[in-house]
């Protein structure tokens, strides 16, 4: 009997807490959302699975080196890529190699919507301060409003590593819930007439313009916010690999194999780091509330800025304010939401190409905001 | 940090006095900087079509082409041309050549596919 008890002490059941069970439920929920509704499956599924891995209690045995928080373990070594901010720039390289800036280059005024939608970042920063978070923690929480997972990981790994799990999971869960969060805000802030606005078809973009964009982009953003270079440098490099058309193999690796490998490791380790003891805190709950607010404010910021632009734009060049919501950098989810909302108002009005412009500008805007925060606060 | 949920203080204890003047300035300045940076990008890329048109007009003048040649092609026209070209190139095989050629079926000789050679060797090894 003693032997059986000794064996039981070495199983995961022995140390299971209600917190572990709750987190396992959250992990299963993520997996279900990813498979059933295809909400950000590329990240929610590895994160959900990682939560399962991180919340199976491990027998305490010195030198076993299993857990993600245990120094020297395989999971811990992989997690270093998150803590040291290695994975986000690699993901940005892949995103850059996937991104087509043509809609943005053909209608450059839409860049401004990507900037305006970063309002949520800075207002949430202030909001977090009012809740008693420190300056650095507040900045890391604020970045959730950028709706950009890699940027959130990068900034929180620099400014608030102890909050990285909660911030990242909040960012990804709200990115997955964009089709639920954004439409009510968009409908509330726009009239039926505004939602029916048809935009001019984009002009053709030359190869020279496409090559110039990443070069000018990196020089401009790099000089303004050098701390954003790990993200934006890799982002524009990936785009140049794509648009130069002379490095097809490199661009192909960056947008497929590399980003896939990094996404798997990133998702699993982030999930595994969300353990009940560190995750189920009041702070996490506050971060989730602030994150939801950040998404709503960013969406509203983009839509309202589009409406303001329409006050000065001539007839025929007006912007459909729905695409302002795509200024948050959840690519391409928020652009798809804008497109779908546009179709509900007018089934023949296709906004997807127009919405992609603020959407990719939002990626630049949120990384730039992260760079500004990092440069100023550290 | 790290307060557990069992703590009895309210979840959202909002305290506006916690905001310092410097933090407020940073938030405003940060947001304005993001907008300003992307505004510069907007200005630069707004100039591109004008530069492109000027270059095309110059080309038209030097080569003596009609004025209409300098017009910027709308994206939908480019897309239609690209689609037509793509369809044309994909459908080229609809007009097949009537000449049929029979490919040479015989394999080149190699010690690897030579039955006799292998058998001889096999016998030699056996001996």
């Amino acid at each position: 009997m003693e032997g059986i008890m000794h064996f039981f002490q070495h199983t995961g059941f022995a140390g299971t807490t209600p917190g572990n069970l709750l987190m396992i439920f959250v992990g299963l929920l993520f997996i279900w959302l990813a498979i059933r509704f295809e909400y950000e499956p590329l990240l929610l599924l590895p994160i959900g699975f990682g939560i399962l891995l991180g919340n199976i209690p491990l027998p305490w045995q010195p030198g076993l080196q299993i857990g993600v928080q245990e120094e020297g373990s395989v999971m811990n070594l992989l997690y270093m890529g998150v803590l040291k901010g290695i994975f986000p720039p690699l993901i940005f390289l892949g995103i850059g190699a996937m991104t087509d800036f043509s809609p943005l280059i053909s209608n450059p005024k839409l860049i401004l919507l990507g900037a305006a939608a970063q309002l949520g970042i800075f207002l949430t920063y202030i909001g977090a301060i009012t809740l008693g978070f420190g300056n650095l923690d507040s900045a890391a929480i604020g970045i959730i409003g950028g709706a950009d997972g890699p940027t959130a990981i990068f900034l929180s790994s620099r400014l608030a590593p102890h909050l990285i799990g909660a911030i990242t999971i909040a960012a990804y869960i709200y990115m997955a819930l964009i089709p639920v969060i954004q439409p009510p805000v968009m409908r509330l802030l726009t009239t039926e007439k505004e939602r029916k606005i048809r935009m001019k078809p984009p002009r053709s973009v030359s190869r020279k313009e496409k090559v110039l964009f990443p070069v000018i982009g990196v020089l401009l953003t790099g000089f303004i916010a050098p701390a954003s270079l790990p993200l934006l440098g890799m982002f524009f490099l990936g785009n140049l690999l794509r648009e130069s058309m002379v490095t097809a193999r490199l661009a192909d690796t960056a947008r497929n194999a590399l980003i896939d490998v990094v996404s798997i490791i990133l998702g699993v380790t982030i999930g595994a780091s969300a353990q009940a003891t560190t995750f189920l805190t009041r702070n996490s709950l506050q971060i989730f509330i602030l994150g939801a607010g950040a998404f709503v404010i960013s969406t509203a910021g983009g839509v309202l800025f589009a409406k303001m632009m329409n006050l000065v734009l001539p007839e025929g060049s007006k912007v459909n304010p729905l695409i302002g919501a795509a200024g948050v950098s959840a690519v391409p989810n928020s652009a798809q939401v804008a497109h779908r909302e546009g179709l509900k108002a007018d089934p023949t009005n296709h906004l997807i190409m127009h919405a992609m412009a603020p959407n990719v500008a939002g990626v630049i805007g949120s990384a730039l905001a992260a760079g500004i925060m990092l440069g100023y606060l550290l | 940090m790290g307060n557990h949920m069992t703590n009895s203080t309210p979840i959202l204890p909002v305290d506006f006095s916690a905001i310092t003047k410097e933090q407020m300035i940073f938030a405003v300045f940060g947001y304005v900087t993001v907008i300003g940076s992307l505004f510069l990008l907007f200005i630069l890329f707004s100039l591109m079509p004008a530069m492109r048109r000027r270059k095309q007009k110059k080309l038209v003048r030097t080569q003596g082409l009609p004025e209409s040649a300098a017009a910027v092609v709308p994206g939908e026209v480019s897309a239609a041309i690209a689609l037509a070209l793509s369809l044309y190139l994909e459908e080229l095989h609809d007009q097949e050549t009537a000449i049929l050629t029979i490919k040479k079926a015989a394999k080149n000789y190699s010690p690897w596919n030579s039955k006799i050679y292998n058998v001889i060797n096999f016998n030699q090894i056996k001996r």
Side-chain angles (χ1 to χ4, degrees):
Chain A
M1 192 63 192
E2 201 177 306
I4 293 170
M5 282 309 289
H6 185 70
F7 176 77
F8 179 74
Q9 289 302 320
H10 283 81
T11 66
F13 296 109
T16 305
T17 63
N20 290 133
L21 294 177
L22 182 62
M23 288 307 292
I24 287 172
F25 172 75
V26 172
L28 291 173
L29 180 72
F30 278 23
I31 294 170
W32 180 71
L33 285 174
I35 296 171
R36 177 71 179 81
F37 297 106
E38 294 190 26
Y39 284 166
E40 290 275 339
L42 299 182
L43 276 154
L44 277 196
L45 202 141
I47 289 177
F49 203 84
I51 292 174
L52 301 187
L53 296 182
N55 285 283
I56 296 171
L58 301 170
W60 188 84
Q61 220 168 312
L64 203 59
Q65 295 190 331
I66 296 176
V68 72
Q69 305 291 3
E70 199 178 347
E71 209 170 305
S73 73
V74 176
M75 289 296 272
N76 183 262
L77 291 175
L78 294 175
Y79 189 49
M80 282 298 124
V82 176
L83 284 181
K84 299 290 175 193
I86 298 166
F87 294 150
L90 293 177
I91 291 202
F92 260 67
L93 180 75
I95 296 171
M98 283 180 194
T99 305
D100 179 10
F101 282 115
S102 304
L104 193 140
I105 299 169
S106 70
N107 197 355
K109 64 175 176 284
L110 301 182
I111 295 176
L112 299 174
L113 296 178
Q118 308 313 317
L119 180 67
I121 294 179
F122 295 97
L123 283 187
T124 308
Y125 161 71
I126 294 293
I129 290 167
T130 64
L131 291 185
F133 284 97
N135 208 21
L136 301 184
D137 292 353
S138 301
I141 294 166
I143 204 69
I144 299 173
D148 192 330
T151 306
I153 294 167
F154 182 75
L155 194 69
S156 50
S157 72
R158 311 283 91 188
L159 299 181
H162 57 287
L163 297 178
I164 196 167
I167 290 172
T168 308
I169 289 176
Y172 278 118
I173 192 79
Y174 290 132
M175 279 163 68
L177 292 175
I178 268 186
V180 181
I181 298 171
Q182 284 198 318
V185 183
M186 293 156 83
R187 283 196 288 266
L188 186 73
L189 297 175
T190 54
T191 62
E192 182 76 19
K193 193 183 164 193
E194 284 173 329
R195 290 197 287 273
K196 285 181 178 172
I197 291 177
R198 281 176 181 269
M199 294 176 65
K200 272 201 295 195
R203 69 171 173 85
S204 59
V205 175
S206 68
R207 186 184 165 207
K208 197 185 283 179
E209 285 173 293
K210 287 185 185 180
V211 170
L212 277 174
F213 190 84
V215 176
I216 293 174
V218 76
L219 289 173
L220 188 77
T221 55
F223 274 101
I224 291 171
S228 65
L229 276 179
L231 295 177
L232 287 177
M234 295 300 265
F235 181 63
F236 286 124
L237 170 65
N239 191 250
L240 189 59
L241 292 178
R242 170 199 164 101
E243 300 299 353
S244 66
M245 293 169 82
V246 291
T247 51
R249 276 172 49 196
L250 302 186
D252 189 51
T253 303
R255 69 170 160 254
N256 293 306
L258 182 68
I259 200 167
D260 288 351
V261 169
V262 176
S263 296
I264 294 168
I265 301 173
L266 181 85
V268 172
T269 51
I270 285 284
S273 72
Q275 292 169 339
T277 46
T278 54
F279 193 80
L280 293 178
T281 63
R282 188 204 320 275
N283 284 343
S284 298
L285 199 58
Q286 288 176 334
I287 288 168
F288 270 78
I289 294 168
L290 285 165
F295 266 62
V296 169
I297 296 167
S298 289
T299 304
V303 173
L304 292 175
F305 196 85
K307 285 170 70 114
M308 273 163 44
M309 279 170 74
N310 281 345
L311 296 176
V312 290
L313 287 171
E315 202 60 48
S317 297
K318 295 225 185 277
V319 170
N320 189 316
L322 290 176
I323 69 164
V328 301
S329 56
V331 181
N333 292 14
S334 50
Q336 286 169 343
V337 168
H339 176 68
R340 276 198 293 269
E341 287 302 307
L343 285 179
K344 278 181 196 166
D346 178 357
T348 59
N349 192 7
H350 298 271
L351 293 173
I352 188 74
M353 280 303 283
H354 304 292
M356 281 309 291
N359 210 188
V360 292
V363 178
I364 303 172
S366 60
L368 197 61
I372 290 166
M373 285 177 152
L374 201 57
Y376 182 80
L377 297 173
L378 269 189
Chain B
M1 293 300 146
N3 302 332
H4 284 264
M5 287 169 77
T6 47
N7 201 322
S8 60
T9 52
I11 289 167
L12 293 175
V14 182
D15 176 15
F16 288 104
S17 65
I19 309 166
T20 65
K21 195 179 166 190
E22 196 188 344
Q23 286 165 335
M24 204 60 180
I25 290 171
F26 167 68
V28 174
F29 182 73
Y31 186 51
V32 170
T33 309
V34 173
I35 292 191
S37 309
L38 294 190
F39 184 75
L40 281 176
L41 212 53
F42 153 66
I43 295 287
L44 282 171
F45 279 85
S46 296
L47 297 174
M48 289 270 173
M51 286 159 66
R52 199 172 143 195
R53 267 197 298 275
R54 201 184 309 153
K55 199 176 166 188
Q56 274 176 325
K57 276 183 184 166
K58 196 178 167 190
L59 201 73
V60 164
R61 267 202 310 274
T62 52
Q63 295 189 350
L65 297 167
E67 278 294 308
S68 58
V72 176
V73 182
E76 59 211 27
V77 175
S78 303
I81 293 169
L83 180 66
L85 275 173
S86 168
L87 287 174
Y88 173 72
L89 292 170
E90 275 176 22
E91 298 298 319
L92 270 183
H93 68 274
D94 279 354
Q95 293 176 328
E96 298 284 358
T97 167
I99 303 166
L100 296 175
T101 41
I102 299 167
K103 284 184 183 167
K104 190 181 168 190
K107 288 179 182 172
N108 290 329
Y109 172 77
S110 154
W112 298 101
N113 63 10
S114 164
K115 188 179 174 186
I116 294 169
Y117 188 81
N118 284 333
V119 169
I120 290 165
N121 279 345
F122 178 70
N123 290 337
Q124 279 169 352
I125 291 162
K126 249 188 132 179
R127 274 200 301 272

